[in-house]
């Protein structure tokens, strides 16, 4: 992290990067059409088949084979709904279809996090201030130390343990993500706003629990408890998978974090914003099925460059984005799931302890070299 991978870039390079990426985006959006619409309709259709099939098998959940098959099928359905459908629909990736049922303003996902709060904490806060310390709440999710630039505190000693708990119950962490816990603890939050958000979270949790832990278990009659256990297990599987994929998108290896002030962010150009997304994101290599099950967040770099681009196009543009990184001497972070997850957990274990004693050069955002601010 002591090496600045942007030191060689000139203002003209930043302008060229912005121009080339803008042209790539315009090219893809000009091509969107029936094949893309058919893709998302097909994914939604198969997700519903899987959910119906899984819940049907759990009507016989007292039989171990039915329990295992039903739980596995329901887990896959929940992963697809959250990752490839919910996350991407709420990003507005399919708004161009003008289908009110598959639209960022109407979609509510199978997750205890209310859609409106998630869209603020994720679409705006995280995607605008990606990996900026003190601005992007995804850097450690407010409870983890994932970079030496975060001051050490004894509370971090237990972070390998409570990161495992966060993985298991990740949707609840996501639900609380739009609350500014630091301001709440300092008594500096707007209490009315906080109470309103908590009420919305409570309503969403009751709705999800009523579906998974009351309605469907009751429908299975005397197998109430085994069906409830299956639904609980499917939620845990979905949570651990989502946590793993999302953490691998920003924490492994040499991913950059940035210590910049409001003035630098205000003066950040479009080219600098693009470069920050590249330096602060990491991909995961794999096949088509793997990419589908990650919601194409295995193409985290492409997703951060173009959050509203339909996810089925990320694999297509990835080689061109990588070629652009090679052209301008920028790192293109990618690796297998095993490599990225191992690196992420290594950081979580290492930074639970004090140090490192010799602080590396501060991470930085690309310096604002232009007066033209970025339009995110």
């Amino acid at each position: 992290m002591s090496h600045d991978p942007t030191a060689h870039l000139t203002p003209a390079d930043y302008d060229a990067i912005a121009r080339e990426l803008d042209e790539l985006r315009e090219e893809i959006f000009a091509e969107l059409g029936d094949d893309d619409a058919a893709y998302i309709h097909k994914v939604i259709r198969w997700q519903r088949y899987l959910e119906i099939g899984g819940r049907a098998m759990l009507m016989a959940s007292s039989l171990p084979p039915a329990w295992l098959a039903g739980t596995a099928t329901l887990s896959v359905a929940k992963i697809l709904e959250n990752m490839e459908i919910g996350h991407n629909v709420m990003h507005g990736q399919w708004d161009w279809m003008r289908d009110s049922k598959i639209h960022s303003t109407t979609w509510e996902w199978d997750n205890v996090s209310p859609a409106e709060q998630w869209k603020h904490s994720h679409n705006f806060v995280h995607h605008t201030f990606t990996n900026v310390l003190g601005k992007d709440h995804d850097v450690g999710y407010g409870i983890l130390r994932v970079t030496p630039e975060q001051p050490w505190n004894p509370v971090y000693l237990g972070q390998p343990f409570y990161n495992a708990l966060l993985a298991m119950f990740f949707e609840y962490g996501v639900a609380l993500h739009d609350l500014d816990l630091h301001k709440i603890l300092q008594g500096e939050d707007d209490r009315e706003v906080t109470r309103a958000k908590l009420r919305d979270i409570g309503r969403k949790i009751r709705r999800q629990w009523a579906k998974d832990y009351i309605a469907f278990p009751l429908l299975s009659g005397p197998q109430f408890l085994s069906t409830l256990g299956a639904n609980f297990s499917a939620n845990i599987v979905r949570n651990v998978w989502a946590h793993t994929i999302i953490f691998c998108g920003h924490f492994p290896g040499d991913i950059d974090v940035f210590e910049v002030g409001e003035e630098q962010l205000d003066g950040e150009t479009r080219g600098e914003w693009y470069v920050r997304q590249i330096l602060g994101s990491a991909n995961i290599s794999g096949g088509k099925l793997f990419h589908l099950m990650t919601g194409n967040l295995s193409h985290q770099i492409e997703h951060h460059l173009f959050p509203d681009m339909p996810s089925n196009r990320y694999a297509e543009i990835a080689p061109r984005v990588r070629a652009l990184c090679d052209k301008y001497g920028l790192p293109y972070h990618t690796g297998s799931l095993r490599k990225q997850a191992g690196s992420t957990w290594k950081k979580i274990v290492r930074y639970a302890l004090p140090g490192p004693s010799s602080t590396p050069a501060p991470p930085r955002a690309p310096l604002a070299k232009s007066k033209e601010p970025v339009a995110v």
Side-chain angles (χ1 to χ4, degrees), residues 129-169:
F129 305 111
T130 307
N131 281 24
V132 175
L133 289 175
K135 301 288 285 187
D136 181 3
H137 298 165
D138 279 28
V139 179
Y141 276 75
I143 59 173
L144 302 173
R145 182 174 183 248
V146 293
T147 173
E149 285 70 32
Q150 292 173 279
W152 183 81
N153 185 297
V155 73
Y156 291 126
L157 288 170
Q159 71 176 22
F161 171 70
Y162 51 77
N163 184 51
L165 285 179
L166 176 64
M168 292 177 65
F169 300 99

Side-chain angles (χ1 to χ4, degrees), residues 329-342:
L330 293 170
Y332 185 85
H333 301 291
T334 188
S336 67
L337 178 62
R338 180 179 180 182
K339 174 189 172 187
Q340 303 297 57

Side-chain angles (χ1 to χ4, degrees), residues 164-183:
L165 285 179
L166 176 64
M168 292 177 65
F169 300 99
F170 191 53
E171 61 179 319
Y172 297 92
V174 173
L176 298 175
H177 206 40
D178 199 40
L179 299 173
D180 194 327
L181 295 179
H182 177 74
K183 284 188 176 179

